Amino acid sequence: MRSSPYWPVISHTTLRRVLPGFAVSSLGDGMAVVAVSWLAIELAPAADRGFWVALAAAAYTLSGAVGALLLGRFLRHRRPNQLAGWDAALRAGALGAVPVLHAFGALGIEGYVALLAVSSALHSWGQAGVYTLIARSLPDRDHLAGNAVLSGVGAISTVLGPPLATLLIVFGGPAAVLAVDAATFVVLAVTFLVAVPRDALPEPDDDTASRTAGFAVIRRVPALSGLLALSFAFFLLFGPVYVALPLYVSDDLGASAGLLAVYYTAFGIGAVLGSVLTGFLGRWRMWPTTVGVVIGFGALMLPLGLGAPTAVSVVCFGAAGLLWPPYSSLSTTLFQRAAPGALLPQALAASSAVRVLSVPLGTALGGPLVAGFGAAGALGLSAAGIALVGLVAAAALTLRAVRTRTRTRHAPPAGPAGPAGAEPPAGTGPEAGAGPEVGAGQVGTRP
């Protein structure tokens, strides 16, 4: 165990205090995936259920993107544990109000949607705080393992959460599930606001955080701009799967919801295994690995759109799930390494906002795709689009490498060597931004 890449993460003094609370809240979130929509179905008028269910799901996610855009002036100076703790406290309060109002018969569908929107208003900043805490607690070499631990906890919650939610709904209704979810966020809020000492995290020396927004940071660092574009396209093109896969199972295959559950369970099991394996990718070159994951994910999704036998498509969908956590962890690690340390929370919040927007937009795109090409056709287009995006990114990466080698070949010879044993000037050594994950135009790295 001590030789595992995860040992520095789980043995770290600060992270050892944080991870149990994070695991509890992740399980609550896995349960809420079922309960949020189910309670909307119960509260909405029968004639407009589809509209209100979609609005509830959007409110639970999209307000986090709005918060990332509008609240930077007030939150960009805060410590990462404060950002995560305040997000958890707000979610606990807003979600906790749902079962209370429901018990007194005072909860309507409009108020429910409003509470869901309030609950996630700080979520992009909360996520930024969690991953900034990872970046500042661990050395660069352990960032990937730290991110993989968080992804693994989330993946396990997607496997365990929905069955637990189903049991609670049977005995107490969906409002009871949200009460449990709110309680788990109380645990998380206490974990970050009380269990993490004020001096547990080193503060960066850079004082530009008060003058620079997250999107400005991303624009200034070409590596971050390219990574954000890749992530947006990846998640946007995966969005139609949430619409097309249920219709593919019910209409094209004529199967029950049980088969749909098999698909999602296979994906979840693959994600858990992928989270375990991610920490061992630290020796691989991160940019090529990240792009290769995108290409492989699209290729593994193709059998669903090509009418492959059900057993084959289930296995391939599970294998695609194996690649989901590596992409999330690798892309976050690239952000942690390329963004200046003082500006990391803003950059991560901006990245989270874009990702939060991309999946709902892709889901909305799924309707027209299914109408025009059928469920299987929409799945095939989604898979082919993801693979194509990966191939374009690979071509851009190759072109950049060729240009770098050309500039190096035609660069003027170095000046006369200094005295024997002298240190090279700062920023000129072989470690100064030469790695493929940093990219040209970098304005700084985490201290």
Side-chain angles (χ1 to χ4, degrees):
M1 184 63 185
R2 291 180 181 272
S3 64
S4 163
Y6 299 109
W7 180 253
V9 182
I10 62 178
S11 62
H12 190 277
T13 304
T14 300
L15 299 182
R16 195 169 54 216
R17 297 170 178 170
V18 167
L19 288 175
F22 185 83
V24 169
S25 70
S26 293
L27 183 61
D29 254 354
M31 297 166 63
V33 169
V34 177
V36 166
S37 298
W38 207 259
L39 185 56
I41 291 173
E42 290 188 359
L43 294 174
D48 299 321
R49 278 181 177 171
F51 168 78
W52 283 109
V53 170
L55 191 59
Y60 195 51
T61 56
L62 290 181
S63 65
V66 177
L69 296 173
L70 300 182
L71 300 178
R73 178 180 301 179
F74 309 102
L75 299 177
R76 62 192 176 195
H77 306 291
R78 303 299 176 179
R79 299 193 305 275
N81 58 305
Q82 286 182 318
L83 296 176
W86 291 350
D87 170 44
L90 180 62
R91 288 169 81 85
L95 293 176
V98 170
V100 173
L101 293 174
H102 188 268
F104 286 98
L107 184 65
I109 185 64
E110 298 88 352
Y112 176 56
V113 170
L115 285 172
L116 291 177
V118 170
S119 73
S120 64
L122 297 180
H123 195 48
S124 291
W125 287 99
Q127 291 293 98
V130 171
Y131 285 102
T132 301
L133 186 144
I134 290 288
R136 292 184 183 173
S137 299
L138 299 171
D140 286 357
R141 66 178 181 274
D142 295 325
H143 285 175
L144 181 60
N147 298 333
V149 168
L150 299 186
S151 295
V153 170
I156 292 172
S157 73
T158 64
V159 176
L160 300 180
L164 291 176
T166 302
L167 290 175
L168 273 177
I169 289 173
V170 169
F171 293 104
V177 178
L178 294 182
V180 173
D181 191 24
T184 66
F185 279 111
V186 171
V187 174
L188 187 63
V190 171
T191 297
F192 278 109
L193 296 178
V194 177
V196 178
R198 183 181 181 88
D199 58 350
L201 300 176
E203 293 292 334
D205 296 329
D206 192 343
D207 64 353
T208 59
S210 61
R211 304 191 299 271
T212 309
F215 286 104
V217 178
I218 293 172
R219 286 195 302 269
R220 289 165 57 194
V221 184
L224 296 183
S225 302
L227 180 60
L228 192 59
L230 177 64
S231 295
F232 179 82
F234 180 35
F235 294 124
L236 176 75
L237 291 170
F238 184 75
V241 173
Y242 292 112
V243 177
L245 184 59
L247 294 175
Y248 174 72
V249 170
S250 63
D251 297 349
D252 293 15
L253 300 181
S256 67
L259 180 59
L260 180 62
V262 169
Y263 274 102
Y264 283 133
T265 301
F267 191 92
I269 292 173
V272 172
L273 295 176
S275 299
V276 174
L277 296 175
T278 299
F280 296 92
L281 302 179
R283 296 179 180 270
W284 296 24
R285 298 178 62 196
M286 288 202 173
W287 261 112
T289 304
T290 304
V291 172
V293 164
V294 175
I295 298 172
F297 190 94
L300 288 168
M301 291 284 295
L302 276 175
L304 279 78
L306 298 177
T310 301
V312 174
S313 62
V314 167
V315 170
C316 289
F317 197 57
L322 187 74
L323 298 180
W324 187 269
Y327 181 83
S328 177
S329 297
L330 286 164
S331 59
T332 301
T333 302
L334 289 170
F335 253 87
Q336 290 165 330
R337 293 187 178 183
L343 306 177
L344 183 58
Q346 295 96 301
L348 286 173
S351 171
S352 177
V354 171
R355 294 186 186 196
V356 165
L357 284 171
S358 60
V359 174
L361 289 175
T363 304
L365 181 64
L369 285 178
V370 171
F373 300 96
L379 289 170
L381 288 173
S382 174
I386 291 172
L388 180 61
V389 164
L391 291 171
V392 170
L397 198 63
T398 303
L399 181 61
R400 189 182 72 177
V402 170
R403 288 177 175 174
T404 300
R405 285 196 296 268
T406 302
R407 286 198 300 267
T408 303
R409 187 180 303 118
H410 295 288
E423 294 282 345
T428 62
E431 300 299 324
E437 63 275 344
V438 177
Q442 180 178 345
V443 298
T445 57
R446 193 191 69 81

